[in-house]
Amino acid sequence: MATVLQTDFAWPDTSIERGIIEAASHRLVCGPSTPLSAKEIEGLVARHDPQAIMTCWAQVSRAAIELPGDLRIIQRLGVGLDNIVVPAATARGAWVANVPDYCVHEVSDHAIALLLDWARGTVRFDRDVKHGNWNPAAAQLRRVSDLTVGIIGYGPIGRSTAAKASAFGCQVLINRASGGAVDIGMSCDLPTLLGQSDVVIIHAPLTQSTAHLLNRETIPAMKPGAYLINVSRGPLVENNALIAALESGHLSGAGLDVVEGEPCPPRALIDRPDVIVTPHVAFSSEASLVELRRRSAEEVVRVLAGEPPRHPCNLPEKTA
């Protein structure tokens, strides 16, 4: 029997994970739903000596990875790996895995919803009407099919967003890390995308090279009056640079499901009427959460049975 430590969870309980792991004769121990600090996670790891770690938002540090006597897998309950020190897992011979495609439809839907709100003013007009201001003459709305939409990142989610934007009649520009050809829209470099897009949507992973990808140099290169949507990771956008562009009027607004500093992002940004903010929920639906939890637990059971994961994110080094 192996011990599986689930550091945290963004749903009401851990019944799905527990059912799958205990059915395989393993033991599941859980931290609280709200993620603990990295030091507190290290304490949990030291206490339980797990063979597997499942993590949602909590930081799994190098120390936490090096503590267990026989760590075989760190399973990300999600897609991004920025809260796991992957090289440390690789060095000690442990797999790192994720669920890369569980929320493709949800995140791309969320990006398009933010685009449509900017173009059609649904949230702004709802606020106005509820405050007693019925003034259709004030509308300054946009024809969606006239828009050029730039998408940074062309993984499964970026491609899904491109297909949906194209279905609305938008011209679609794509900037992908590989620089290769795309099957929807037109591939281009980042300066071209920023300069020509009415809406820029970020679908890139957070890495050392993409941190503050949109910053005091790149945001001013965006088309005047453009709209920025981030449904990937908050630190891809430099908050102060975005605030400056909104205050100057260079950008007309932003739609953010993720913000650097969450869950307590700067009020100077999120209180602005030209910014729509949702609390990192683009991935979420009843269906996507069930799929995420089930597939994550099944991946852990698979590795504990001596098989490789179906969605590996590293190639562990062999240990003596």
Side-chain angles (χ1 to χ4, degrees):
M1 180 178 72
T3 295
V4 179
L5 171 63
Q6 184 164 341
T7 61
D8 61 309
F9 49 98
W11 33 87
D13 58 49
T14 58
S15 58
I16 294 176
E17 301 93 312
R18 186 173 301 280
I20 293 169
I21 288 167
E22 292 183 352
S25 299
H26 302 305
R27 181 173 74 107
L28 179 68
V29 294
C30 296
S33 59
T34 302
L36 300 171
S37 69
K39 278 291 183 186
E40 290 171 314
I41 296 299
E42 291 163 16
L44 276 179
V45 172
R47 189 175 314 129
H48 296 289
D49 190 26
Q51 285 74 48
I53 297 173
M54 300 170 66
T55 185
C56 184
W57 305 125
Q59 296 289 322
V60 182
S61 67
R62 178 176 294 275
I65 293 168
E66 293 174 348
L67 278 167
D70 181 27
L71 182 65
R72 302 179 202 174
I73 182 171
I74 304 170
Q75 175 67 41
R76 168 77 165 96
L77 287 150
V79 180
L81 303 174
D82 47 287
N83 61 326
I84 300 170
V85 184
V86 177
T90 301
R92 71 153 303 166
W95 291 103
V96 176
N98 66 354
V99 188
D101 54 356
Y102 78 99
C103 61
V104 168
H105 297 299
E106 285 79 3
V107 177
S108 58
D109 285 350
H110 207 87
I112 294 297
L114 291 169
L115 181 156
L116 293 175
D117 175 74
W118 173 71
R120 304 307 305 159
T122 49
V123 170
R124 175 166 59 90
F125 287 121
D126 173 74
R127 293 170 180 168
D128 285 350
V129 170
K130 287 176 178 175
H131 283 89
N133 182 22
W134 189 280
N135 184 18
Q140 293 181 324
L141 304 179
R142 300 163 179 87
R143 176 178 288 176
V144 175
S145 60
D146 286 347
L147 300 176
T148 297
V149 176
I151 299 173
I152 302 173
Y154 199 67
I157 298 174
R159 187 183 185 284
S160 181
T161 299
K164 291 169 184 176
S166 180
F168 275 99
C170 302
Q171 179 182 3
V172 177
L173 303 179
I174 304 291
N175 176 251
R176 62 187 309 184
S178 67
V182 297
D183 55 348
I184 301 173
M186 182 179 71
S187 181
C188 64
D189 59 26
L190 185 60
T192 299
L193 182 147
L194 295 177
Q196 296 185 9
S197 298
D198 301 294
V199 180
V200 172
I201 302 174
I202 306 175
H203 282 310
L206 177 61
T207 65
Q208 288 184 342
S209 63
T210 61
H212 285 182
L213 180 68
L214 275 293
N215 55 43
R216 290 188 178 273
E217 294 182 358
T218 51
I219 290 178
M222 291 175 64
K223 184 176 181 178
Y227 191 71
L228 177 64
I229 295 173
N230 188 4
V231 289
S232 188
R233 285 292 185 268
L236 290 164
V237 177
E238 183 183 351
N239 285 339
N240 288 337
L242 177 55
I243 292 170
L246 293 168
E247 289 181 343
S248 71
H250 181 70
L251 296 187
S252 62
L256 308 173
D257 182 58
V258 290
V259 189
E260 187 170 28
E262 61 183 69
C264 299
R267 306 301 310 188
L269 176 60
I270 64 173
D271 284 349
R272 294 184 59 90
D274 51 5
V275 175
I276 301 297
V277 185
T278 54
H280 204 148
V281 293
F283 68 93
S284 184
S285 74
E286 182 176 347
S288 70
L289 291 181
V290 169
E291 182 180 350
L292 170 66
R293 298 165 64 186
R294 175 183 56 79
R295 290 173 60 188
S296 293
E298 289 172 347
E299 193 82 296
V300 166
V301 168
R302 187 175 296 112
V303 170
L304 292 176
E307 300 176 29
R310 289 184 177 170
H311 297 288
C313 301
N314 70 336
L315 182 62
E317 298 176 7
K318 293 183 179 180
T319 55

